[in-house]
Amino acid sequence: MAAEPKKLNDEVLDKYELVIGLEIHAQLSTKTKIFSSDPAFFGAEPNKHTTPISLGLPGTLPKVNREVVTYAVKLGLATHCRINLVNRFDRKNYFYADLPKGYQITQDELPICKDGYVTISSKDKPSKQIRLNRIHMEEDAGKSMHDRDDKYSLIDLNRAGVPLLEIVSEPDIRSAEEAAAYLSEVRKIVRYLGVCDGNMEEGSLRCDANISVRLKGETEYGCRCEVKNLNSIRNLQRAITYEFKRQVSVIEEGGKIDQNTLNFDAATGVTSVLRSKEMALDYRYFPEPDMPPLHLTEEWVESLRNTLPELPEQRIKKYMTQFGLSESDAVQLTNDKAVADFYEEIATYTKNYKSASNWVNGPLQSLINEKGKDASELGISAKSISEIISLVDSGKINNSAATQQVFPALVNSPDKTVDTIVHELNLVIDTDEDQLSQLIDQAVNKFPDKVAEYNKGKKGVLGLFMGELMKLSGGKIDPKTANKLLIQKIESLK
Ligand code: ADP
Ligand code: MG
């Protein structure tokens, strides 16, 4: 058990900087496993997806699943990697009960993808590229459960042989926030590509963090620890924050950081030593003799490049340049592919891209969160949203009626047209200028002292008059015209 980090003041902490490299394992959503035709999906009854290859029985031979190679190339292209047209599987040897063969088939010296990068944008900071060292293909091990039985550890081999891509970053990450932004960007990319569901709670995306600290200005890296078992973005951040303080306090006390493998306990927020350097395993990597190297063709890789969907990074650029949105609006819209797709569909019906963005990031996003559904499953059509936008823009209904009455009615009866809803609710603004002037007279007469306040420079009281007008008209006035006439009237009383 690691000692609780000594209390450090901000001044001491501020002398140091974090250096972090992440290893992310993405479980692929292929139908079958990487070297056999066993189903690869999560959640089956234990030990059902276990033909002799998954069990590692003698005499069985692996055969690579073409879909896994396809997914690896897609992810490599999406993250600007070089694709190694010749790449190879290796054996990583270690003994553990959930690894029936006694070795894991992975890629060591010749991984399928090399040298890419992922662009991250964290709040209020310019975007930054995190370089990737490699992406390689490998098989998952089975799952050991040590807490289900008093006497025995239980093993489920359904997961043995499920395909993984391991995405290894360079140590370019400098804070817990950047680490979180990077992990969520990778999750977005695998989801956009449809290669992994990105579900961290179910273990589809798992993350190990290599963490070191050094004095600011120092060019050499410090000695790192590798924290295993990080199953959420929040825990990744907690582990980094904890390790930063722990490592700084060890160094400040004149100690040295040992290159250990650590476990993170989510309940206590503390890391502890899982394996010390002395216990480090020698995996005796060597080329997998049962499979020849993979030879890919340039044409095949290029044909996959053409199938790539537009990724968040490209969409953000497009939304900013073509649709004139702010970066934060664009980032928010692209967090989820289904949401971004829905936004783009609205944008085919309206030119008011900003309003469309407000609708999607506001009421639609709230509805998605509330229902726990995908944007495409809400039953609301992009066309309906565009119709509401155009009714507001043309002054036929006002914005608060649109958000507070039309939208909720549409949610309840998505099959009704917006036109029907607006008429049923009697929301069409039909107050003509004469009527409006009369209402303004009424409002102004009601609060003579506020008129005087306005004319002395207290412009804020206008809200009160607008509220009164809305009340008097039942919401059926055009706020822009009302605002203009109201000011004219009040100023004429100076
Ligand atoms: P290994 O061969 O032990 O797996 P690698 O060189 O492959 O080590 O690095 C594994 C991960 O550790 C990479 O993500 C890399 O960016 C990161 N890393 C390497 N050195 C450091 C360091 N000094 N501090 C933080 N992270 C590091
Ligand atoms: Mg490694």
Side-chain angles (χ1 to χ4, degrees):
M1 188 73 187
E4 178 69 16
K6 201 179 86 169
K7 289 271 172 292
L8 293 160
N9 61 39
D10 288 347
E11 206 178 309
V12 175
L13 286 171
D14 208 41
K15 291 194 297 183
Y16 290 85
E17 76 170 346
L18 273 162
V19 173
I20 303 159
L22 296 189
E23 294 169 286
I24 300 175
H25 287 92
Q27 213 172 60
L28 301 186
S29 39
T30 52
K31 286 196 229 29
T32 56
K33 292 187 179 179
I34 183 169
F35 301 123
S36 75
S37 55
D38 276 340
F41 66 82
F42 175 83
E45 202 186 315
N47 296 305
K48 282 292 168 209
H49 301 161
T50 48
T51 54
I53 292 184
S54 293
L55 297 176
L57 297 187
T60 55
L61 285 173
K63 187 176 158 213
V64 71
N65 178 347
R66 187 188 174 94
E67 199 74 347
V68 173
V69 185
T70 307
Y71 283 14
V73 171
K74 283 188 178 179
L75 183 58
L77 293 173
T79 53
H80 314 277
C81 287
R82 180 160 55 73
I83 307 300
N84 276 330
L85 295 178
V86 180
N87 62 86
R88 191 184 78 201
F89 286 104
D90 297 279
R91 285 190 184 180
K92 176 178 179 177
N93 300 279
Y94 66 94
F95 180 77
Y96 201 73
D98 60 20
L99 187 74
K101 296 197 298 297
Y103 58 84
Q104 177 195 28
I105 304 182
T106 179
Q107 296 195 300
D108 183 36
E109 272 177 4
L110 271 179
I112 187 159
C113 311
K114 276 294 288 176
D115 301 332
Y117 64 87
V118 167
T119 306
I120 58 165
S121 41
S122 27
K123 246 199 204 119
D124 309 327
K125 296 230 174 88
S127 52
K128 168 175 173 177
Q129 288 181 357
I130 306 298
R131 289 169 303 153
L132 298 188
N133 175 289
R134 59 193 283 150
I135 300 174
H136 66 254
M137 304 178 279
E138 61 186 27
E139 59 179 337
D140 209 342
K143 197 173 165 112
S144 306
M145 283 158 282
H146 305 296
D147 51 6
R148 298 279 176 96
D149 190 278
D150 292 344
K151 279 200 211 134
Y152 301 105
S153 280
L154 305 183
I155 294 169
D156 178 6
L157 290 173
N158 282 349
R159 205 177 68 180
V162 166
L164 300 176
L165 292 180
E166 179 172 341
I167 305 142
V168 183
S169 86
E170 293 292 349
D172 287 349
I173 297 162
R174 291 289 173 274
S175 66
E177 294 69 45
E178 282 186 13
Y182 169 75
L183 179 53
S184 76
E185 195 59 37
V186 169
R187 184 172 62 180
K188 249 188 263 176
I189 295 172
V190 295
R191 283 179 170 165
Y192 266 72
L193 294 172
V195 302
C196 165
D197 65 27
N199 190 333
M200 294 193 75
E201 300 86 71
E202 287 180 3
S204 311
L205 205 64
R206 310 196 284 269
C207 175
D208 301 335
N210 294 270
I211 305 168
S212 65
V213 300
R214 63 178 175 187
L215 283 170
K216 284 180 182 161
E218 173 65 64
T219 49
E220 303 278 310
Y221 292 137
C223 184
R224 72 181 140 115
C225 288
E226 180 173 0
V227 187
K228 298 276 187 192
N229 197 19
L230 299 168
N231 56 4
S232 70
I233 292 182
R234 181 161 169 267
N235 284 341
L236 168 67
Q237 289 187 288
R238 289 170 73 203
I240 292 170
T241 307
Y242 179 85
E243 270 302 294
F244 181 55
K245 291 187 181 153
R246 185 189 70 83
Q247 294 188 17
V248 169
S249 88
V250 169
I251 294 169
E252 282 288 312
E253 281 169 6
K256 255 178 55 229
I257 304 297
D258 295 320
Q259 192 178 334
N260 290 336
T261 303
L262 309 177
N263 183 53
F264 177 71
D265 182 346
T268 58
V270 167
T271 63
S272 58
V273 178
L274 200 65
R275 279 193 299 273
S276 67
K277 200 179 175 186
E278 293 73 43
M279 291 153 74
L281 301 168
D282 176 4
Y283 294 117
R284 298 181 296 113
Y285 282 100
F286 62 84
E288 168 58 53
D290 285 341
M291 269 185 297
L294 289 176
H295 288 262
L296 316 179
T297 66
E298 193 83 54
E299 294 74 52
W300 185 66
V301 170
E302 285 315 304
S303 72
L304 289 179
R305 193 191 295 279
N306 295 330
T307 69
L308 292 184
E310 235 180 349
L311 292 161
E313 199 186 337
Q314 293 157 298
R315 287 194 170 184
I316 289 170
K317 270 196 204 126
K318 183 170 90 180
Y319 294 0
M320 290 172 68
T321 53
Q322 211 168 307
F323 296 155
L325 299 185
S326 70
E327 183 169 10
S328 70
D329 283 347
V331 167
Q332 209 184 329
L333 287 171
T334 52
N335 277 336
D336 182 295
K337 182 168 182 288
V339 169
D341 288 345
F342 193 74
Y343 173 71
E344 294 200 6
E345 203 189 332
I346 302 176
T348 62
Y349 296 116
T350 177
K351 292 243 159 353
N352 192 343
Y353 305 120
K354 172 63 185 163
S355 177
S357 156
N358 291 346
W359 275 98
V360 174
N361 285 337
L364 277 157
Q365 190 60 56
S366 309
L367 190 67
I368 289 166
N369 298 345
E370 181 195 315
K371 302 242 156 144
K373 282 190 181 169
D374 207 271
S376 60
E377 300 165 347
L378 295 175
I380 293 175
S381 73
K383 189 140 193 294
S384 297
I385 301 295
S386 76
E387 285 167 1
I388 302 181
I389 292 173
S390 92
L391 285 176
V392 173
D393 287 350
S394 61
K396 295 228 170 63
I397 60 174
N398 68 52
N399 197 48
S400 56
T403 50
Q404 287 161 27
Q405 301 188 61
V406 182
F407 184 71
L410 186 64
V411 172
N412 287 331
S413 336
D415 294 334
K416 283 191 185 161
T417 67
V418 169
D419 214 43
T420 309
I421 290 174
V422 168
H423 282 100
E424 278 179 5
L425 294 174
N426 191 22
L427 291 172
V428 181
I429 294 170
D430 49 10
T431 318
D432 63 28
E433 285 210 11
D434 276 349
Q435 289 170 314
L436 184 55
S437 295
Q438 281 174 21
L439 296 176
I440 289 176
D441 287 347
Q442 277 183 46
V444 164
N445 290 336
K446 193 167 171 190
F447 302 106
D449 47 335
K450 298 289 168 193
V451 172
E453 276 181 38
Y454 180 90
N455 283 329
K456 278 191 201 128
K458 210 172 156 200
K459 308 285 179 205
V461 296
L462 216 53
L464 174 113
F465 287 110
M466 285 300 287
E468 186 64 21
L469 285 176
M470 285 294 170
K471 211 155 66 185
L472 291 170
S473 70
K476 291 166 73 175
I477 52 168
D478 171 27
K480 261 193 235 132
T481 320
N483 199 57
K484 198 182 76 194
L485 295 180
L486 181 63
I487 292 177
Q488 276 173 14
K489 174 75 189 176
I490 296 179
E491 287 183 345
S492 74
L493 296 172
K494 241 187 215 172

